[in-house]
Amino acid sequence: MSLVLDSAAQDLLFREARTANTFTDEPVTDEQVQAIYDLVKYGPTSMNQSPLRITLVRSPEARERLVQHLAEGNQKKTAAAPLVAILSADNEFHEELPNLFPHFPQAKDAIFGERSVREGNAALNAALQAAYFIIGIRAAGLAAGPMTGLDFAGVQKEFLDDDHTPFVVINIGKPGEDAWFPRSPRLAYDEVVTTV
């Protein structure tokens, strides 16, 4: 069976797309980011939790504050990227559930009343949304450079509050010169899929 999505779109989103390590200086606009979000917000999360929160780092001052919390190998990439996004999980996502999951508004307290339950759910579902966000960046003709080599506690203290847990920083822009490392291997279908 073939995929419905045409081959060029498959290449753009998956086969040819890779983590970018360099970017041009072409700006990424708020309109582009909104278009990306307006597409990827439809990706499913458990009970429509939608815990992902995005902090766009635009000002030079904010960029400097962020770079100091990154692993040395990531600092130069982030300093030069046209746009950087800090993705975090909102551990108080349940406050929005009466609107986001209206057929069971009691879920806010009945299921997610305890912070530990919310944190686990927020982490998983925000990670799902981060993957959608990366695909959305690619769909916009941009490249993404997601990174987890950073001081998460430092980033949280610098940019967020105790209710938001950062889990990835993504450099965003048009790929620059020598943007790609060679593609790493992937597991084969029969190494991943088991039929029972």
Side-chain angles (χ1 to χ4, degrees), residues 120-133:
N121 277 270
L124 170 64
N125 287 284
L128 284 173
Q129 289 185 283
Y132 306 144
F133 187 65

Side-chain angles (χ1 to χ4, degrees), residues 182-194:
R183 180 169 299 282
S184 297
R186 297 296 191 267
L187 294 173
Y189 177 85
D190 58 2
E191 294 175 292
V192 174
V193 178
T194 304

